[in-house]
Amino acid sequence: MGITSGIVLYAVIWFMTFLVVIPIRLQTQGDAGEIVPGTHAGAPERHYLKQKAWITTGAAAVIWAIIAGVILTGAVSVSDFDWFGRLPQRP
């Protein structure tokens, strides 16, 4: 895995983790009881995006380290997913 591949892998993991973390501790306008006219009651009142971005960065770093370790050690390779025997066999 090259540097570019590592950065792309981290970016994908970061955004996937961020989408999981966003709804945690989300306080909506309906929860707060103060709905601004013209907005939905489910619109966020307090979203804590800065804290969630930092949490996501740390969690994504841990997940990336695990996945990168698996890839770099060769514990799992592309040939492990060759269920139909279409790839050439490596010695």
Side-chain angles (χ1 to χ4, degrees):
M1 177 169 62
I3 293 175
T4 306
S5 304
I7 292 171
V8 169
L9 179 64
Y10 182 78
V12 169
I13 291 170
W14 193 93
F15 280 104
M16 287 176 53
T17 307
F18 193 57
L19 291 174
V20 170
V21 171
I22 283 177
I24 298 171
R25 286 188 54 211
L26 180 70
Q27 183 180 8
T28 64
Q29 291 181 9
D31 295 339
E34 299 174 7
I35 301 172
V36 177
T39 61
H40 192 271
E45 177 70 28
R46 299 235 181 225
H47 45 72
Y48 306 106
L49 278 182
K50 188 174 183 179
Q51 292 174 349
K52 290 179 183 184
W54 282 109
I55 291 168
T56 300
T57 302
V62 171
I63 295 168
W64 178 85
I66 293 168
I67 293 174
V70 168
I71 291 171
L72 292 173
T73 59
V76 177
S77 67
V78 175
S79 60
D80 293 332
F81 296 102
D82 184 25
W83 296 309
F84 301 110
R86 295 182 180 165
L87 293 176
Q89 296 297 323
R90 296 181 116 186

